[in-house]
Amino acid sequence: MKELNQIEYENLRESGARLIGRVIPYDSTIGVMYYMVSPDQQNFCANEILDTLFQIHAPLQGQFDVIRHWTTPAVVT
C-alpha cells in the first residue's frame, strides 16, 4: 500500500485508476488519508486498510468512512 497526497489521488481518480481510496474521519481535526493498493491487496477489508495506514500514522480512535473505489464504502469504528 502506498499513501498518496490529495493531488496524486485526484490525478489518479481522474485518469480512471480503480485501486485507490480514501479514509475520511468523523473527527474534523484529523485529516483525510489517501492511498493506493497493489493488485494483491485489493481484497483488503476496511479494517485491514486502516491497520496498514495506522502502521504509518499513530493509531487513531473514532469512526472512519473507508472508501475503496473498487468496492462498496464501509464505516469502521
Side-chain angles (χ1 to χ4, degrees):
M1 179 181 296
K2 177 184 175 188
E3 189 168 8
L4 305 170
N5 64 41
Q6 185 176 0
I7 294 170
E8 291 171 318
Y9 167 80
E10 289 173 359
N11 288 338
L12 286 167
R13 188 164 181 196
E14 287 175 10
S15 69
R18 290 196 63 232
L19 296 179
I20 59 173
R22 62 188 187 267
V23 175
I24 304 168
Y26 281 52
D27 180 348
S28 63
T29 64
I30 302 169
V32 175
M33 294 176 270
Y34 303 92
Y35 64 89
M36 172 189 283
V37 297
S38 61
D40 62 321
Q41 295 172 319
Q42 67 182 333
N43 292 326
F44 275 17
C45 70
N47 283 332
E48 290 170 310
I49 297 287
L50 284 177
D51 288 345
T52 304
L53 286 172
F54 289 168
Q55 290 176 9
I56 300 166
H57 300 276
L60 303 171
Q61 293 189 3
Q63 235 179 344
F64 301 88
D65 286 337
V66 179
I67 309 298
R68 297 168 288 169
H69 290 289
W70 64 97
T71 188
T72 56
V75 177
V76 178
T77 301

